[in-house]
Amino acid sequence: MAADLRGDAGNDPGAYLRELRTENGWTLVHVSEKTGIPVSTLSKVETGKMSLSYDKLLRLSRGLGIDITRL
């Protein structure tokens, strides 16, 4: 389903993450458990207050089973 997203997210990884979570019914806690990235970090990324390093983008893509280029 992730391939169908990116409508309003454009090139914003935080907006894409929020779309992906919403589409799949995931909470920030769920994404944190799948990726090992703290909830506070994920929240800041979604609100545009923080960018993720390559390492964290890779962890996010692997944990959620999406291609890193989607982010």
Side-chain angles (χ1 to χ4, degrees):
M1 244 203 209
D4 295 347
L5 299 176
R6 299 289 294 208
D8 295 330
N11 291 323
D12 181 356
Y16 177 67
L17 175 58
R18 180 168 281 163
E19 278 188 33
L20 185 63
R21 277 195 322 101
T22 302
E23 184 73 21
N24 288 285
W26 297 334
T27 64
L28 284 172
V29 171
H30 183 86
V31 173
S32 177
E33 290 170 350
K34 291 175 73 97
T35 63
I37 299 171
V39 170
S40 60
T41 299
L42 294 169
S43 177
K44 288 175 188 171
V45 168
E46 284 192 359
T47 58
K49 295 177 182 171
M50 176 185 270
S51 296
L52 290 176
S53 64
Y54 176 77
D55 176 57
K56 285 195 172 102
L57 284 170
L58 191 58
R59 285 171 50 190
L60 189 62
S61 69
R62 287 181 177 166
L64 298 180
I66 59 172
D67 191 291
I68 194 167
T69 60
R70 305 295 297 162
L71 299 168

Short mmCIF file of all heavy atoms in Angstrom, two decimals:
data_model
loop_
_atom_site.label_atom_id
_atom_site.label_comp_id
_atom_site.label_asym_id
_atom_site.label_seq_id
_atom_site.Cartn_x
_atom_site.Cartn_y
_atom_site.Cartn_z
N MET A 1 0.79 -1.19 0.00
CA MET A 1 0.00 0.00 0.00
C MET A 1 0.83 1.26 0.00
O MET A 1 0.39 2.28 -0.47
CB MET A 1 -0.89 0.00 1.23
CG MET A 1 -2.27 -0.06 0.77
SD MET A 1 -3.62 0.47 1.66
CE MET A 1 -4.66 -0.71 0.88
N ALA A 2 2.04 1.18 0.51
CA ALA A 2 2.88 2.36 0.59
C ALA A 2 3.15 2.97 -0.77
O ALA A 2 3.35 4.15 -0.89
CB ALA A 2 4.19 2.02 1.29
N ALA A 3 3.15 2.17 -1.81
CA ALA A 3 3.43 2.68 -3.14
C ALA A 3 2.38 3.67 -3.61
O ALA A 3 2.64 4.49 -4.48
CB ALA A 3 3.53 1.51 -4.13
N ASP A 4 1.18 3.61 -3.06
CA ASP A 4 0.10 4.50 -3.47
C ASP A 4 0.16 5.85 -2.77
O ASP A 4 -0.57 6.76 -3.12
CB ASP A 4 -1.27 3.87 -3.18
CG ASP A 4 -1.49 2.61 -4.00
OD1 ASP A 4 -0.72 2.37 -4.93
OD2 ASP A 4 -2.43 1.88 -3.68
N LEU A 5 1.01 5.99 -1.79
CA LEU A 5 1.08 7.23 -1.02
C LEU A 5 1.97 8.23 -1.72
O LEU A 5 2.48 8.00 -2.78
CB LEU A 5 1.62 6.93 0.38
CG LEU A 5 0.78 5.98 1.21
CD1 LEU A 5 1.45 5.69 2.52
CD2 LEU A 5 -0.60 6.55 1.46
N ARG A 6 2.19 9.35 -1.15
CA ARG A 6 3.05 10.43 -1.58
C ARG A 6 2.27 11.56 -2.21
O ARG A 6 2.86 12.48 -2.72
CB ARG A 6 4.17 9.99 -2.55
CG ARG A 6 5.13 8.99 -2.00
CD ARG A 6 6.02 9.55 -1.00
NE ARG A 6 6.91 10.54 -1.57
CZ ARG A 6 8.08 10.81 -1.08
NH1 ARG A 6 8.52 10.16 -0.04
NH2 ARG A 6 8.83 11.75 -1.60
N GLY A 7 0.96 11.50 -2.18
CA GLY A 7 0.16 12.57 -2.75
C GLY A 7 0.54 13.93 -2.23
O GLY A 7 1.11 14.74 -2.95
N ASP A 8 0.24 14.23 -0.99
CA ASP A 8 0.53 15.54 -0.42
C ASP A 8 1.89 15.60 0.25
O ASP A 8 2.35 16.67 0.60
CB ASP A 8 -0.55 15.91 0.61
CG ASP A 8 -1.91 16.07 -0.03
OD1 ASP A 8 -1.97 16.46 -1.21
OD2 ASP A 8 -2.92 15.79 0.65
N ALA A 9 2.54 14.46 0.41
CA ALA A 9 3.80 14.42 1.14
C ALA A 9 4.97 14.97 0.33
O ALA A 9 5.93 15.46 0.89
CB ALA A 9 4.10 13.00 1.60
N GLY A 10 4.88 14.90 -0.99
CA GLY A 10 5.98 15.40 -1.81
C GLY A 10 7.28 14.76 -1.43
O GLY A 10 7.38 13.54 -1.36
N ASN A 11 8.30 15.56 -1.14
CA ASN A 11 9.61 15.05 -0.75
C ASN A 11 9.87 15.21 0.74
O ASN A 11 11.00 15.32 1.16
CB ASN A 11 10.71 15.76 -1.55
CG ASN A 11 10.67 15.38 -3.01
OD1 ASN A 11 10.40 14.23 -3.34
ND2 ASN A 11 10.93 16.33 -3.87
N ASP A 12 8.84 15.27 1.52
CA ASP A 12 8.96 15.47 2.96
C ASP A 12 8.84 14.13 3.68
O ASP A 12 7.75 13.56 3.77
CB ASP A 12 7.85 16.42 3.42
CG ASP A 12 7.89 16.71 4.90
OD1 ASP A 12 8.72 16.12 5.62
OD2 ASP A 12 7.08 17.53 5.35
N PRO A 13 9.97 13.60 4.19
CA PRO A 13 9.92 12.30 4.86
C PRO A 13 8.96 12.26 6.05
O PRO A 13 8.30 11.26 6.29
CB PRO A 13 11.36 12.07 5.34
CG PRO A 13 12.19 12.93 4.47
CD PRO A 13 11.32 14.12 4.12
N GLY A 14 8.84 13.37 6.78
CA GLY A 14 7.94 13.42 7.92
C GLY A 14 6.48 13.30 7.51
O GLY A 14 5.70 12.57 8.12
N ALA A 15 6.12 14.03 6.46
CA ALA A 15 4.75 13.96 5.95
C ALA A 15 4.46 12.57 5.39
O ALA A 15 3.37 12.03 5.58
CB ALA A 15 4.52 15.03 4.89
N TYR A 16 5.44 11.99 4.71
CA TYR A 16 5.26 10.64 4.17
C TYR A 16 5.08 9.64 5.31
O TYR A 16 4.21 8.77 5.25
CB TYR A 16 6.44 10.24 3.29
CG TYR A 16 6.31 8.83 2.79
CD1 TYR A 16 5.30 8.49 1.90
CD2 TYR A 16 7.17 7.83 3.22
CE1 TYR A 16 5.15 7.19 1.44
CE2 TYR A 16 7.04 6.54 2.77
CZ TYR A 16 6.03 6.22 1.88
OH TYR A 16 5.90 4.93 1.44
N LEU A 17 5.90 9.77 6.35
CA LEU A 17 5.77 8.88 7.50
C LEU A 17 4.38 8.98 8.11
O LEU A 17 3.75 7.96 8.41
CB LEU A 17 6.84 9.21 8.55
CG LEU A 17 6.77 8.43 9.86
CD1 LEU A 17 6.87 6.92 9.61
CD2 LEU A 17 7.87 8.89 10.81
N ARG A 18 3.89 10.19 8.27
CA ARG A 18 2.55 10.38 8.84
C ARG A 18 1.48 9.74 7.93
O ARG A 18 0.57 9.07 8.40
CB ARG A 18 2.25 11.85 9.05
CG ARG A 18 0.85 12.04 9.65
CD ARG A 18 0.63 13.43 10.15
NE ARG A 18 1.30 13.52 11.44
CZ ARG A 18 1.62 14.65 12.04
NH1 ARG A 18 1.37 15.80 11.48
NH2 ARG A 18 2.20 14.63 13.21
N GLU A 19 1.60 9.94 6.63
CA GLU A 19 0.66 9.31 5.68
C GLU A 19 0.70 7.79 5.80
O GLU A 19 -0.34 7.13 5.83
CB GLU A 19 1.00 9.69 4.24
CG GLU A 19 0.49 11.01 3.79
CD GLU A 19 0.71 11.22 2.30
OE1 GLU A 19 0.65 10.23 1.53
OE2 GLU A 19 0.93 12.36 1.91
N LEU A 20 1.91 7.26 5.83
CA LEU A 20 2.09 5.81 5.92
C LEU A 20 1.49 5.26 7.21
O LEU A 20 0.78 4.25 7.20
CB LEU A 20 3.58 5.48 5.84
CG LEU A 20 3.96 4.01 5.79
CD1 LEU A 20 3.41 3.34 4.54
CD2 LEU A 20 5.48 3.87 5.84
N ARG A 21 1.75 5.95 8.31
CA ARG A 21 1.19 5.51 9.60
C ARG A 21 -0.32 5.54 9.57
O ARG A 21 -0.98 4.59 10.01
CB ARG A 21 1.66 6.44 10.74
CG ARG A 21 2.99 6.15 11.29
CD ARG A 21 3.25 6.84 12.63
NE ARG A 21 2.73 8.18 12.81
CZ ARG A 21 1.62 8.49 13.48
NH1 ARG A 21 0.89 7.54 14.05
NH2 ARG A 21 1.25 9.75 13.62
N THR A 22 -0.87 6.63 9.07
CA THR A 22 -2.33 6.78 9.03
C THR A 22 -2.97 5.71 8.17
O THR A 22 -3.95 5.07 8.55
CB THR A 22 -2.71 8.18 8.50
OG1 THR A 22 -2.11 9.15 9.36
CG2 THR A 22 -4.20 8.37 8.48
N GLU A 23 -2.39 5.50 6.99
CA GLU A 23 -2.90 4.50 6.05
C GLU A 23 -2.91 3.10 6.65
O GLU A 23 -3.81 2.30 6.39
CB GLU A 23 -2.06 4.52 4.78
CG GLU A 23 -2.54 3.60 3.69
CD GLU A 23 -3.81 4.09 3.00
OE1 GLU A 23 -4.10 5.29 3.05
OE2 GLU A 23 -4.50 3.25 2.40
N ASN A 24 -1.90 2.80 7.48
CA ASN A 24 -1.77 1.46 8.05
C ASN A 24 -2.32 1.34 9.47
O ASN A 24 -2.27 0.26 10.05
CB ASN A 24 -0.30 1.04 8.03
CG ASN A 24 0.16 0.73 6.63
OD1 ASN A 24 -0.18 -0.30 6.07
ND2 ASN A 24 0.90 1.65 6.02
N GLY A 25 -2.81 2.44 10.03
CA GLY A 25 -3.37 2.41 11.37
C GLY A 25 -2.32 2.22 12.46
O GLY A 25 -2.62 1.70 13.53
N TRP A 26 -1.09 2.64 12.18
CA TRP A 26 -0.01 2.51 13.15
C TRP A 26 0.08 3.74 14.04
O TRP A 26 -0.15 4.86 13.61
CB TRP A 26 1.34 2.36 12.45
CG TRP A 26 1.49 1.14 11.59
CD1 TRP A 26 0.85 -0.06 11.72
CD2 TRP A 26 2.35 1.01 10.46
NE1 TRP A 26 1.26 -0.91 10.74
CE2 TRP A 26 2.18 -0.28 9.95
CE3 TRP A 26 3.24 1.87 9.83
CZ2 TRP A 26 2.87 -0.75 8.85
CZ3 TRP A 26 3.93 1.40 8.73
CH2 TRP A 26 3.75 0.11 8.25
N THR A 27 0.46 3.53 15.29
CA THR A 27 0.75 4.63 16.20
C THR A 27 2.24 4.91 16.15
O THR A 27 3.03 4.11 15.63
CB THR A 27 0.36 4.27 17.65
OG1 THR A 27 1.19 3.18 18.07
CG2 THR A 27 -1.10 3.89 17.76
N LEU A 28 2.65 6.04 16.73
CA LEU A 28 4.07 6.32 16.83
C LEU A 28 4.78 5.25 17.66
O LEU A 28 5.92 4.88 17.37
CB LEU A 28 4.30 7.71 17.44
CG LEU A 28 4.04 8.89 16.52
CD1 LEU A 28 4.11 10.20 17.31
CD2 LEU A 28 5.01 8.93 15.36
N VAL A 29 4.10 4.75 18.67
CA VAL A 29 4.68 3.69 19.51
C VAL A 29 4.94 2.45 18.67
O VAL A 29 6.01 1.83 18.76
CB VAL A 29 3.76 3.37 20.71
CG1 VAL A 29 4.24 2.14 21.45
CG2 VAL A 29 3.66 4.56 21.65
N HIS A 30 3.98 2.09 17.82
CA HIS A 30 4.14 0.92 16.97
C HIS A 30 5.34 1.09 16.03
O HIS A 30 6.17 0.18 15.89
CB HIS A 30 2.86 0.69 16.15
CG HIS A 30 2.90 -0.53 15.31
ND1 HIS A 30 2.55 -1.77 15.79
CD2 HIS A 30 3.25 -0.70 14.02
CE1 HIS A 30 2.71 -2.66 14.82
NE2 HIS A 30 3.13 -2.03 13.73
N VAL A 31 5.44 2.26 15.40
CA VAL A 31 6.57 2.51 14.49
C VAL A 31 7.89 2.49 15.27
O VAL A 31 8.89 1.94 14.80
CB VAL A 31 6.38 3.84 13.73
CG1 VAL A 31 7.62 4.19 12.91
CG2 VAL A 31 5.15 3.77 12.83
N SER A 32 7.89 3.04 16.46
CA SER A 32 9.08 3.04 17.29
C SER A 32 9.52 1.61 17.62
O SER A 32 10.70 1.29 17.55
CB SER A 32 8.82 3.81 18.58
OG SER A 32 9.93 3.75 19.44
N GLU A 33 8.57 0.77 17.96
CA GLU A 33 8.88 -0.63 18.27
C GLU A 33 9.44 -1.36 17.05
O GLU A 33 10.33 -2.20 17.18
CB GLU A 33 7.64 -1.35 18.79
CG GLU A 33 7.23 -0.88 20.17
CD GLU A 33 5.87 -1.41 20.61
OE1 GLU A 33 5.14 -2.01 19.78
OE2 GLU A 33 5.54 -1.20 21.80
N LYS A 34 8.93 -1.06 15.88
CA LYS A 34 9.38 -1.72 14.64
C LYS A 34 10.74 -1.23 14.18
O LYS A 34 11.46 -1.96 13.51
CB LYS A 34 8.36 -1.51 13.52
CG LYS A 34 7.04 -2.23 13.73
CD LYS A 34 6.04 -1.89 12.65
CE LYS A 34 6.36 -2.52 11.35
NZ LYS A 34 5.70 -3.76 11.03
N THR A 35 11.09 0.01 14.53
CA THR A 35 12.31 0.61 14.00
C THR A 35 13.41 0.86 15.02
O THR A 35 14.56 1.05 14.65
CB THR A 35 11.99 1.96 13.33
OG1 THR A 35 11.49 2.86 14.32
CG2 THR A 35 10.97 1.79 12.21
N GLY A 36 13.05 0.91 16.29
CA GLY A 36 14.03 1.23 17.32
C GLY A 36 14.31 2.72 17.42
O GLY A 36 15.24 3.14 18.10
N ILE A 37 13.51 3.53 16.73
CA ILE A 37 13.67 4.99 16.79
C ILE A 37 12.71 5.52 17.84
O ILE A 37 11.53 5.17 17.82
CB ILE A 37 13.37 5.63 15.41
CG1 ILE A 37 14.35 5.08 14.36
CG2 ILE A 37 13.45 7.15 15.49
CD1 ILE A 37 14.01 5.48 12.94
N PRO A 38 13.18 6.34 18.77
CA PRO A 38 12.31 6.83 19.84
C PRO A 38 11.07 7.57 19.33
O PRO A 38 11.12 8.25 18.30
CB PRO A 38 13.21 7.79 20.62
CG PRO A 38 14.60 7.37 20.30
CD PRO A 38 14.56 6.85 18.90
N VAL A 39 9.98 7.43 20.06
CA VAL A 39 8.72 8.09 19.72
C VAL A 39 8.93 9.59 19.59
O VAL A 39 8.42 10.23 18.66
CB VAL A 39 7.63 7.78 20.77
CG1 VAL A 39 6.40 8.64 20.56
CG2 VAL A 39 7.26 6.31 20.74
N SER A 40 9.69 10.18 20.50
CA SER A 40 9.91 11.63 20.46
C SER A 40 10.60 12.05 19.17
O SER A 40 10.26 13.09 18.59
CB SER A 40 10.72 12.09 21.67
OG SER A 40 11.98 11.45 21.69
N THR A 41 11.53 11.25 18.70
CA THR A 41 12.22 11.55 17.44
C THR A 41 11.26 11.45 16.27
O THR A 41 11.22 12.33 15.40
CB THR A 41 13.41 10.60 17.23
OG1 THR A 41 14.34 10.77 18.30
CG2 THR A 41 14.10 10.84 15.90
N LEU A 42 10.46 10.39 16.24
CA LEU A 42 9.49 10.21 15.16
C LEU A 42 8.49 11.36 15.13
O LEU A 42 8.15 11.87 14.05
CB LEU A 42 8.76 8.87 15.32
CG LEU A 42 9.62 7.62 15.16
CD1 LEU A 42 8.84 6.39 15.61
CD2 LEU A 42 10.10 7.47 13.73
N SER A 43 8.05 11.78 16.29
CA SER A 43 7.11 12.90 16.38
C SER A 43 7.72 14.18 15.82
O SER A 43 7.08 14.92 15.07
CB SER A 43 6.67 13.11 17.83
OG SER A 43 5.81 14.21 17.93
N LYS A 44 8.97 14.45 16.19
CA LYS A 44 9.65 15.65 15.70
C LYS A 44 9.85 15.59 14.19
O LYS A 44 9.76 16.62 13.51
CB LYS A 44 11.00 15.82 16.41
CG LYS A 44 10.86 16.23 17.85
CD LYS A 44 12.21 16.27 18.54
CE LYS A 44 12.04 16.51 20.03
NZ LYS A 44 13.31 16.34 20.75
N VAL A 45 10.12 14.42 13.67
CA VAL A 45 10.27 14.27 12.22
C VAL A 45 8.95 14.56 11.52
O VAL A 45 8.91 15.30 10.53
CB VAL A 45 10.78 12.85 11.87
CG1 VAL A 45 10.68 12.57 10.37
CG2 VAL A 45 12.21 12.66 12.35
N GLU A 46 7.87 14.00 12.05
CA GLU A 46 6.56 14.21 11.44
C GLU A 46 6.13 15.67 11.46
O GLU A 46 5.43 16.12 10.56
CB GLU A 46 5.49 13.36 12.13
CG GLU A 46 5.55 11.92 11.74
CD GLU A 46 4.32 11.13 12.19
OE1 GLU A 46 3.42 11.71 12.83
OE2 GLU A 46 4.27 9.93 11.90
N THR A 47 6.54 16.41 12.46
CA THR A 47 6.14 17.82 12.56
C THR A 47 7.17 18.77 11.95
O THR A 47 7.02 19.98 12.04
CB THR A 47 5.89 18.21 14.04
OG1 THR A 47 7.09 17.98 14.79
CG2 THR A 47 4.73 17.43 14.62
N GLY A 48 8.20 18.21 11.32
CA GLY A 48 9.20 19.03 10.65
C GLY A 48 10.19 19.70 11.55
O GLY A 48 10.92 20.60 11.13
N LYS A 49 10.28 19.28 12.80
CA LYS A 49 11.20 19.89 13.75
C LYS A 49 12.56 19.21 13.76
O LYS A 49 13.50 19.70 14.39
CB LYS A 49 10.61 19.86 15.16
CG LYS A 49 9.36 20.70 15.29
CD LYS A 49 8.76 20.60 16.66
CE LYS A 49 7.48 21.43 16.71
NZ LYS A 49 6.74 21.20 17.94
N MET A 50 12.68 18.09 13.04
CA MET A 50 13.92 17.34 13.03
C MET A 50 14.01 16.56 11.72
O MET A 50 13.00 16.13 11.18
CB MET A 50 13.95 16.36 14.21
CG MET A 50 15.15 15.45 14.26
SD MET A 50 15.02 14.25 15.61
CE MET A 50 15.81 15.16 16.91
N SER A 51 15.23 16.40 11.25
CA SER A 51 15.49 15.56 10.09
C SER A 51 16.19 14.30 10.57
O SER A 51 16.88 14.32 11.59
CB SER A 51 16.39 16.27 9.09
OG SER A 51 15.77 17.41 8.58
N LEU A 52 16.01 13.23 9.81
CA LEU A 52 16.66 11.97 10.18
C LEU A 52 17.99 11.82 9.46
O LEU A 52 18.12 12.20 8.29
CB LEU A 52 15.77 10.78 9.81
CG LEU A 52 14.50 10.59 10.63
CD1 LEU A 52 13.69 9.43 10.07
CD2 LEU A 52 14.83 10.34 12.09
N SER A 53 18.96 11.25 10.16
CA SER A 53 20.23 10.91 9.54
C SER A 53 20.00 9.73 8.59
O SER A 53 18.96 9.06 8.63
CB SER A 53 21.23 10.50 10.62
OG SER A 53 20.79 9.31 11.26
N TYR A 54 20.97 9.48 7.73
CA TYR A 54 20.87 8.35 6.80
C TYR A 54 20.65 7.06 7.57
O TYR A 54 19.81 6.23 7.19
CB TYR A 54 22.12 8.24 5.92
CG TYR A 54 22.07 7.04 5.02
CD1 TYR A 54 21.28 7.04 3.87
CD2 TYR A 54 22.78 5.88 5.33
CE1 TYR A 54 21.22 5.94 3.05
CE2 TYR A 54 22.72 4.77 4.51
CZ TYR A 54 21.94 4.79 3.37
OH TYR A 54 21.87 3.69 2.57
N ASP A 55 21.38 6.88 8.66
CA ASP A 55 21.26 5.67 9.48
C ASP A 55 19.83 5.47 9.97
O ASP A 55 19.28 4.38 9.90
CB ASP A 55 22.22 5.75 10.68
CG ASP A 55 22.08 4.57 11.61
OD1 ASP A 55 22.24 3.42 11.15
OD2 ASP A 55 21.81 4.79 12.81
N LYS A 56 19.22 6.54 10.45
CA LYS A 56 17.84 6.42 10.95
C LYS A 56 16.84 6.24 9.81
O LYS A 56 15.85 5.53 9.96
CB LYS A 56 17.49 7.62 11.82
CG LYS A 56 18.17 7.53 13.18
CD LYS A 56 17.57 8.48 14.17
CE LYS A 56 18.13 8.23 15.55
NZ LYS A 56 19.14 9.17 15.95
N LEU A 57 17.08 6.88 8.66
CA LEU A 57 16.22 6.64 7.50
C LEU A 57 16.28 5.17 7.09
O LEU A 57 15.26 4.57 6.77
CB LEU A 57 16.65 7.52 6.32
CG LEU A 57 16.28 8.99 6.39
CD1 LEU A 57 16.97 9.76 5.27
CD2 LEU A 57 14.77 9.17 6.30
N LEU A 58 17.47 4.60 7.14
CA LEU A 58 17.64 3.19 6.80
C LEU A 58 16.91 2.30 7.80
O LEU A 58 16.22 1.36 7.41
CB LEU A 58 19.13 2.86 6.75
CG LEU A 58 19.52 1.52 6.17
CD1 LEU A 58 19.02 1.37 4.74
CD2 LEU A 58 21.04 1.37 6.20
N ARG A 59 17.04 2.61 9.08
CA ARG A 59 16.32 1.85 10.12
C ARG A 59 14.81 1.94 9.93
O ARG A 59 14.09 0.95 10.08
CB ARG A 59 16.71 2.33 11.52
CG ARG A 59 18.09 1.87 11.92
CD ARG A 59 18.61 2.49 13.18
NE ARG A 59 17.70 2.46 14.31
CZ ARG A 59 17.92 3.12 15.43
NH1 ARG A 59 19.00 3.86 15.58
NH2 ARG A 59 17.07 3.05 16.41
N LEU A 60 14.34 3.13 9.59
CA LEU A 60 12.91 3.35 9.36
C LEU A 60 12.43 2.53 8.16
O LEU A 60 11.42 1.84 8.24
CB LEU A 60 12.66 4.84 9.15
CG LEU A 60 11.22 5.31 9.11
CD1 LEU A 60 10.52 5.04 10.44
CD2 LEU A 60 11.16 6.79 8.77
N SER A 61 13.17 2.60 7.07
CA SER A 61 12.75 1.87 5.87
C SER A 61 12.78 0.36 6.10
O SER A 61 11.86 -0.35 5.69
CB SER A 61 13.60 2.26 4.66
OG SER A 61 14.92 1.79 4.77
N ARG A 62 13.81 -0.13 6.74
CA ARG A 62 13.89 -1.57 7.01
C ARG A 62 12.81 -2.02 7.99
O ARG A 62 12.18 -3.05 7.79
CB ARG A 62 15.27 -1.93 7.54
CG ARG A 62 16.34 -1.88 6.49
CD ARG A 62 17.68 -2.26 7.03
NE ARG A 62 18.68 -2.27 5.97
CZ ARG A 62 19.98 -2.31 6.19
NH1 ARG A 62 20.45 -2.34 7.42
NH2 ARG A 62 20.82 -2.31 5.17
N GLY A 63 12.62 -1.25 9.04
CA GLY A 63 11.64 -1.62 10.05
C GLY A 63 10.21 -1.62 9.53
O GLY A 63 9.39 -2.43 9.96
N LEU A 64 9.92 -0.73 8.58
CA LEU A 64 8.57 -0.63 8.04
C LEU A 64 8.41 -1.40 6.73
O LEU A 64 7.33 -1.46 6.16
CB LEU A 64 8.19 0.83 7.84
CG LEU A 64 8.17 1.68 9.10
CD1 LEU A 64 7.78 3.11 8.77
CD2 LEU A 64 7.24 1.09 10.15
N GLY A 65 9.51 -1.96 6.24
CA GLY A 65 9.46 -2.75 5.02
C GLY A 65 9.18 -1.93 3.77
O GLY A 65 8.46 -2.37 2.88
N ILE A 66 9.76 -0.72 3.73
CA ILE A 66 9.60 0.14 2.55
C ILE A 66 10.97 0.48 1.98
O ILE A 66 11.96 0.45 2.69
CB ILE A 66 8.83 1.44 2.89
CG1 ILE A 66 9.56 2.23 3.98
CG2 ILE A 66 7.41 1.14 3.29
CD1 ILE A 66 8.97 3.61 4.24
N ASP A 67 11.01 0.80 0.71
CA ASP A 67 12.24 1.20 0.06
C ASP A 67 12.67 2.56 0.59
O ASP A 67 11.83 3.47 0.72
CB ASP A 67 12.02 1.26 -1.45
CG ASP A 67 13.32 1.40 -2.21
OD1 ASP A 67 13.95 2.47 -2.10
OD2 ASP A 67 13.70 0.43 -2.90
N ILE A 68 13.95 2.72 0.87
CA ILE A 68 14.45 3.98 1.44
C ILE A 68 14.18 5.15 0.50
O ILE A 68 14.03 6.28 0.96
CB ILE A 68 15.95 3.87 1.80
CG1 ILE A 68 16.34 5.06 2.69
CG2 ILE A 68 16.80 3.75 0.55
CD1 ILE A 68 17.68 4.91 3.35
N THR A 69 14.10 4.92 -0.78
CA THR A 69 13.83 6.01 -1.72
C THR A 69 12.44 6.61 -1.54
O THR A 69 12.19 7.72 -1.98
CB THR A 69 14.01 5.56 -3.18
OG1 THR A 69 13.10 4.50 -3.46
CG2 THR A 69 15.43 5.10 -3.45
N ARG A 70 11.55 5.88 -0.89
CA ARG A 70 10.21 6.41 -0.60
C ARG A 70 10.29 7.55 0.41
O ARG A 70 9.40 8.38 0.48
CB ARG A 70 9.28 5.32 -0.07
CG ARG A 70 9.13 4.10 -0.93
CD ARG A 70 8.49 4.35 -2.26
NE ARG A 70 7.14 4.83 -2.07
CZ ARG A 70 6.45 5.46 -3.01
NH1 ARG A 70 6.98 5.67 -4.18
NH2 ARG A 70 5.23 5.86 -2.78
N LEU A 71 11.31 7.53 1.23
CA LEU A 71 11.48 8.55 2.25
C LEU A 71 12.24 9.74 1.71
O LEU A 71 12.23 10.80 2.23
CB LEU A 71 12.22 7.97 3.47
CG LEU A 71 11.49 6.82 4.17
CD1 LEU A 71 12.42 6.12 5.14
CD2 LEU A 71 10.27 7.34 4.88
#
